[in-house]
Amino acid sequence: MQTLRDLSTLRSAIDALKSDGRPVALVPTMGALHEGHMALVEEARRHAGHVVVSIFVNPRQFGANEDLDSYPRREAKDAQMLQTAGVDILWAPTPEVMYPKGYATNISVSGVTEGLDGAARPGHFDGVATVVSKLLNQVQPHVALFGEKDYQQLAMIRQMVRDLDMPIEIIGVPTQRAEDGLALSSRNAYLSEDERKAALALPRALGEAARQMEKGATVDSAIAKAITMLAAHGFDPIDYVSLCDAVTLEPMSVLDRPARLLGAAKLGRTRLIDNIAVEPL
Ligand code: PAF
């Protein structure tokens, strides 16, 4: 595996990979890799002959009071995991390579980014859209893979790639979970032992609410119960528990088409998100 940090070397290495005619997959990450990321890499292998993984902790997608400085960084361990998984290139640009002096362009996707995390984290999705378009332009892969855990991010990237005519297939990969059901996330590393136990209430509350809706409970009553359960386990604040159209992410008050139930809440200083599919009766 080659670890590359500057654009001209990346471009030559990508040209060399592409010369055998096999497709290239990109898995964009911010590092601190876990089994969720490795599932993306495995899935990438099924779609492409070559796999490129990027690690870049993107300052533009963190708010002023968010965890940019404390975000876990362990590139040496990440590189070992990627090498073992047979990744061809680790693309790990520095902030100066990604955003050189004088950098001035912002990518903003409307609609799908307006509610949920878009409302709770102003500027976050512009930061993600900007860095993902740059990563896609830098690597020029045939396919790119993203986890369903960041469901709104995935919906936004699909929209952006469609709108900007990028000739890239976007593949969403189901959320990987710990044995007890907690969605894997680099931010789980922040949780204390007690918080780790309480964190389970998030997938449980969403799962229970989804089952109730599928059995005919009203959307509002199922969501109210989920919020009560989260509060009882110490989540505060609860940014949202919301039922949305599975594609457009428009809010839904009646379960009349394929939907997604999404939740975000803070446990101590750790903000957790999760989501689950909800099928109409
Ligand atoms: O999901 C992530 O880890 C990040 O938002 C991404 C897509 C790598 C962009 O920085």
Side-chain angles (χ1 to χ4, degrees):
M1 183 180 78
Q2 307 175 69
T3 298
L4 305 177
R5 298 185 198 281
D6 75 87
L7 253 181
S8 60
T9 322
L10 176 76
R11 292 224 154 102
S12 322
I14 296 285
D15 286 348
L17 280 190
K18 285 184 173 171
S19 64
D20 69 4
R22 294 190 297 161
V24 171
L26 171 66
V27 178
T29 82
M30 296 205 302
L33 303 180
H34 50 64
E35 286 312 310
H37 298 109
M38 300 322 284
L40 297 178
V41 172
E42 252 172 60
E43 187 63 23
R45 283 240 152 279
R46 284 194 272 276
H47 292 270
H50 302 290
V51 178
V52 178
V53 173
S54 63
I55 295 184
F56 180 66
V57 182
N58 174 33
R60 291 175 75 104
Q61 71 187 74
F62 288 78
N65 299 316
E66 293 186 354
D67 55 344
L68 173 62
D69 292 338
S70 58
Y71 197 83
R73 290 165 171 87
R74 34 175 196 259
E75 196 192 295
K77 186 171 170 225
D78 292 344
Q80 259 173 17
M81 290 166 73
L82 297 174
Q83 167 112 38
T84 307
V87 166
D88 296 270
I89 295 177
L90 166 55
W91 170 228
T94 59
E96 294 71 30
V97 165
M98 190 61 86
Y99 303 119
K101 201 165 178 299
Y103 180 86
T105 300
N106 184 54
I107 307 285
S108 189
V109 180
S110 55
V112 78
T113 63
E114 267 150 35
L116 308 168
D117 263 27
R121 304 180 67 189
H124 168 68
F125 283 120
D126 281 15
V128 175
T130 301
V131 82
V132 171
S133 357
K134 285 184 63 87
L135 290 165
L136 294 175
N137 282 332
Q138 290 162 349
V139 175
Q140 304 196 356
H142 299 86
V143 299
L145 297 94
F146 298 85
E148 285 186 348
K149 189 189 145 257
D150 296 293
Y151 195 83
Q152 191 175 15
Q153 166 174 284
L154 174 60
M156 176 195 76
I157 290 165
R158 287 191 195 286
Q159 175 84 47
M160 178 183 84
V161 163
R162 209 167 42 238
D163 288 351
L164 296 182
D165 308 314
M166 294 178 171
I168 300 167
E169 184 189 356
I170 300 299
I171 295 170
V173 177
T175 304
Q176 302 295 303
R177 296 181 181 277
E179 252 174 48
D180 61 6
L182 184 68
L184 297 186
S185 163
S186 305
R187 290 192 168 98
N188 292 352
Y190 301 150
L191 298 169
S192 69
E193 217 174 292
D194 285 347
E195 287 170 346
R196 172 64 185 78
K197 285 183 198 142
L200 254 195
L202 181 57
R204 289 198 175 146
L206 295 180
E208 185 53 33
R211 273 191 299 276
Q212 285 172 12
M213 288 175 198
E214 286 174 341
K215 281 199 227 143
T218 65
V219 169
D220 283 354
S221 69
I223 287 178
K225 279 191 193 153
I227 289 175
T228 305
M229 180 166 164
L230 291 176
H233 284 82
F235 280 91
D236 180 32
I238 297 162
D239 286 342
Y240 57 82
V241 175
S242 183
L243 187 75
C244 296
D245 182 284
V247 176
T248 64
L249 290 187
E250 270 156 2
M252 289 168 60
S253 51
V254 177
L255 179 59
D256 55 4
R257 56 195 190 277
R260 206 85 188 177
L261 183 65
L262 302 99
K266 245 179 156 181
L267 201 51
R269 66 187 183 102
T270 311
R271 186 171 185 277
L272 298 176
I273 60 172
D274 203 347
N275 65 84
I276 181 171
V278 192
E279 297 303 331
L281 294 169

